[in-house]
Amino acid sequence: MRYFKYDGSWDDLEAMKRQYGDLSDQARQQHRKAERMRKLGTAVFSLLFLVCFAGLVILIHLLWPEENTVFGEVLAAVCKVFLGLIALILSAIIASCAAMPLWAKHSKTEKELTRQTLTHACAALREYYGFQEPFLVTKCYRSSDRRFDRHDVCIFAAGNELRITANLHYGFFDPSRDLGCYVLSRQELTLQDARHKDRPAVELQAGEVTFCLGCRAKSFIETYFP
């Protein structure tokens, strides 16, 4: 087992922070606009549904001939209920078709750009630590290295080694969130079922170093690091 930590420079970190802030503002504006459009779509749906349904029900009553017998009246009532259900479904379809463009009128472009900017900030770390797929992002509930307590961590295999780092997949700007990288061989690694409060977990141990991780870590390690 070994541990190492990135000690290089964080190029253009302040510029990326400013870019991220600008993109985040645009993403929030896009989100607010999308919410307004969705609310307008719901209003259009409700109004059009009521108008269509009421119009179809009135049309059914106007077009249905009057019945002079008890059997005819009962049959007419049953048929009107059936036609009313069809009118209900048809009204919902018409209203949905009209509202759908408004419900769907939003853009993920800004959110994707903010995510890309945040991810790019950790490009040097991912290269330095050998980050690669497949990987798992899971919670570290506690560790013998207290810096990892209550952090999301990345677990990935690099060759015949298992590596544990901070969440490099999502990315971050704060250098203090770089927790370094533990490198473990399969021979020195043991896994044991554990619990964290009321949640199932797995205890990973290599020598004196331990990590209590989310339960998905066990199946990931057994699959990709047998």
Side-chain angles (χ1 to χ4, degrees):
M1 179 193 67
R2 58 192 175 93
Y3 171 84
F4 64 106
K5 189 173 182 181
Y6 179 73
D7 58 357
S9 63
W10 292 67
D11 295 333
D12 300 324
L13 184 60
E14 292 302 321
M16 283 190 288
K17 282 183 179 181
R18 289 192 296 271
Q19 182 183 3
Y20 177 75
D22 293 341
L23 291 172
S24 296
D25 290 340
Q26 295 177 36
R28 283 191 290 270
Q29 293 173 6
Q30 289 280 342
H31 179 71
R32 286 194 292 268
K33 181 179 179 180
E35 284 298 314
R36 289 195 296 269
M37 297 305 290
R38 279 192 282 269
K39 289 179 180 178
L40 178 59
T42 300
V44 169
F45 172 85
S46 300
L47 179 61
L48 193 56
F49 173 79
L50 291 174
V51 171
C52 289
F53 182 64
L56 288 173
V57 169
I58 292 173
L59 185 63
I60 291 170
H61 281 286
L62 291 176
L63 296 179
W64 198 270
E66 293 186 5
E67 299 291 342
N68 298 320
T69 64
V70 175
F71 176 77
E73 291 179 355
V74 172
L75 181 61
V78 172
C79 291
K80 287 179 180 180
V81 170
F82 178 73
L83 292 174
L85 291 175
I86 294 177
L88 185 70
I89 296 172
L90 186 60
S91 299
I93 293 174
I94 295 172
S96 296
C97 290
M100 194 64 68
L102 295 173
W103 283 335
K105 195 174 181 60
H106 64 282
S107 173
K108 295 183 180 179
T109 302
E110 298 298 339
K111 290 185 178 181
E112 290 299 323
L113 287 173
T114 56
R115 180 65 179 269
Q116 291 172 12
T117 303
L118 194 60
T119 301
H120 181 66
C122 286
L125 290 183
R126 286 194 295 275
E127 181 179 358
Y128 189 75
Y129 294 137
F131 180 73
Q132 58 187 302
E133 295 184 351
F135 64 88
L136 174 70
V137 177
T138 187
K139 180 67 71 177
C140 179
Y141 299 117
R142 61 180 180 272
S143 172
S144 57
D145 186 338
R146 298 303 180 191
R147 292 171 296 180
F148 283 77
D149 285 357
R150 298 180 299 278
H151 276 278
D152 287 340
V153 296
C154 276
I155 303 175
F156 57 96
N160 59 352
E161 297 175 329
L162 181 74
R163 301 191 176 189
I164 303 176
T165 67
N167 185 1
L168 303 179
H169 172 59
Y170 188 81
F172 47 83
F173 289 123
D174 187 356
S176 67
R177 293 182 62 183
D178 173 23
L179 305 176
C181 179
Y182 276 94
V183 182
L184 315 171
S185 68
R186 189 65 182 94
Q187 291 72 27
E188 64 187 343
L189 171 64
T190 59
L191 297 173
Q192 183 177 349
D193 291 334
R195 296 194 70 82
H196 174 73
K197 297 181 179 178
D198 59 341
R199 302 175 182 175
V202 61
E203 188 88 7
L204 183 155
Q205 183 173 2
E208 297 181 355
V209 176
T210 61
F211 295 92
C212 183
L213 306 171
C215 59
R216 293 186 302 156
K218 183 177 182 180
S219 60
F220 177 85
I221 293 172
E222 291 175 345
T223 299
Y224 296 104
F225 196 64

